[in-house]
Amino acid sequence: MGGVRNNENFILNCEGWKITRQMLEDIPDFPHKKIDVDSPIPDGVLRLAPMTGAKENMGFPEEEPFYANMIFSAYKAGLALSIGDGCPDIKLQSGISAIEMLQHQQPDAKAAVFIKPYADPVFYERMEWSRNVAEVIGIDIDSYNILTMRNLVNLEKKTASQLAAIRAKAGVPFALKGIFTQEDVQLVREVKPDIIYISNHGGRIETRKGSTAEFLLQYGRVLKENCSEIWIDGGIRCKEDIKTALSLGVSQVLIGRPCVTALCYGGTEGLCKKIKSLLGRT
């Protein structure tokens, strides 16, 4: 999938969780829950990250098969679900179709749906496409930093008032995805979304240097004051990483690349095995 600056932020994401754990051990009075590496991880903590670009990024010959395979496999592995947005429309539409197919077997199955910051009429159209499958509606504000995508489909840098209007129309919990700068923190203060999702797009976009773990450590408390839940992704690769995030007030941890790799190598069984490994279960 790659990333800017020779994958600098992807590498920092992976390293950041170990560094953050060490910092928490060295600051005994820091207000966080003690990291108990031996206790089980609660159910419902892990969620599939929203991913698109099966042809460009993952080596699939066509877009549609990836989403059905990933959604079914992630559900079987016990992950909460997410779907993402992209250009052309088939990316979001395939994700929606995958959830609808799953609903034939599991009527209550739904996903967090993350839509890119298109002009308002386009955004609202896509929100309506997603209505029957969405348990959360989110806006992927960090994708504005993907220059090619921004220019291709005229992505917008949304104002607080625009985001508040989207939240009012969502009808389900509203999430701001891509919180990673001081400017984003101020936006959270103004919008007060239900969910804030700390992410630097897997280290793939041009943004400030740093890891999501470091950002959580620095801004987690103020963010929590202005939302109901914090979600996070970026470089989470083991049970200790998950527990570090939970100790700092995160409600859900999202994983992307490990799911793609496991699915490609081992299909549904491979993904289920990977999730058990992440959770420290046999």
Side-chain angles (χ1 to χ4, degrees):
M1 293 184 179
V4 298
R5 300 192 302 268
N6 294 317
N7 296 303
E8 179 181 43
N9 271 11
F10 171 70
I11 295 167
L12 290 173
N13 279 346
C14 294
E15 294 174 346
W17 294 104
K18 181 177 180 180
I19 294 169
T20 297
R21 274 195 296 283
Q22 187 61 56
M23 290 178 67
L24 294 178
E25 292 174 5
D26 293 342
I27 312 173
D29 59 342
F30 191 88
H32 71 287
K33 297 177 184 176
K34 187 176 184 295
I35 302 174
D36 182 358
V37 295
D38 296 321
S39 65
I41 294 173
D43 293 334
V45 165
L46 279 188
R47 182 179 288 268
L48 176 69
M51 294 176 290
T52 64
K55 290 178 67 175
E56 303 100 311
N57 300 327
M58 305 170 200
F60 281 75
E62 300 293 338
E63 286 290 321
E64 295 93 324
F66 164 74
Y67 302 93
N69 289 341
M70 177 59 80
I71 290 298
F72 173 81
S73 299
Y75 185 88
K76 187 171 182 181
L79 292 176
L81 303 174
S82 299
I83 57 175
D85 186 19
C87 179
D89 293 348
I90 192 66
K91 293 178 180 178
L92 176 59
Q93 291 168 345
S94 294
I96 292 170
S97 295
I99 302 297
E100 290 173 338
M101 289 172 58
L102 180 61
Q103 287 175 338
H104 291 311
Q105 302 176 34
Q106 304 292 336
D108 295 333
K110 291 200 171 183
V113 180
F114 293 94
I115 303 172
K116 289 186 165 44
Y118 301 95
D120 285 351
V122 179
F123 184 94
Y124 287 126
E125 179 185 38
R126 295 167 108 76
M127 190 167 76
E128 289 306 313
W129 294 352
S130 309
R131 185 68 70 185
N132 293 332
V133 304
E135 62 176 342
V136 169
I137 290 287
I139 184 165
D140 188 8
I141 63 172
D142 53 344
S143 64
Y144 179 81
N145 295 311
I146 305 173
L147 185 60
T148 52
M149 183 76 186
R150 184 201 311 171
N151 294 337
L152 182 65
V153 293
N154 300 315
L155 300 184
E156 296 182 345
K157 198 172 184 68
K158 297 293 186 183
T159 65
S161 61
Q162 286 177 301
L163 294 170
I166 292 170
R167 181 186 183 188
K169 294 180 181 181
V172 292
F174 174 64
L176 276 185
K177 176 186 178 292
I179 305 303
F180 194 62
T181 68
Q182 286 184 313
E183 181 183 8
D184 296 336
V185 174
Q186 181 56 35
L187 198 61
V188 168
R189 286 191 179 104
E190 295 178 46
V191 177
K192 292 183 169 50
D194 302 291
I195 299 162
I196 70 101
Y197 181 169
I198 297 172
S199 178
N200 58 17
H201 224 86
R204 299 179 60 216
I205 60 174
E206 190 68 54
T207 187
R208 61 180 283 274
K209 178 180 175 179
S211 71
T212 54
E214 160 263 323
F215 188 84
L216 172 66
L217 182 64
Q218 185 173 1
Y219 292 106
R221 281 184 290 171
V222 67
L223 290 171
K224 187 63 175 174
E225 291 170 0
N226 291 281
C227 69
S228 298
E229 292 186 18
I230 296 177
W231 295 4
I232 196 167
D233 69 16
I236 294 157
R237 296 295 182 269
C238 63
K239 180 174 76 169
E240 290 76 16
D241 296 344
I242 298 169
K243 291 204 167 185
T244 302
L246 297 180
S247 77
L248 289 168
V250 167
S251 298
Q252 292 201 351
V253 168
L254 291 90
I255 53 173
R257 283 180 176 94
C259 293
V260 173
T261 304
L263 183 68
C264 288
Y265 273 108
T268 300
E269 183 179 344
L271 181 53
C272 290
K273 184 176 179 180
K274 181 64 178 178
I275 297 309
K276 286 182 180 179
S277 174
L278 272 171
L279 293 171
R281 299 172 185 171
T282 56

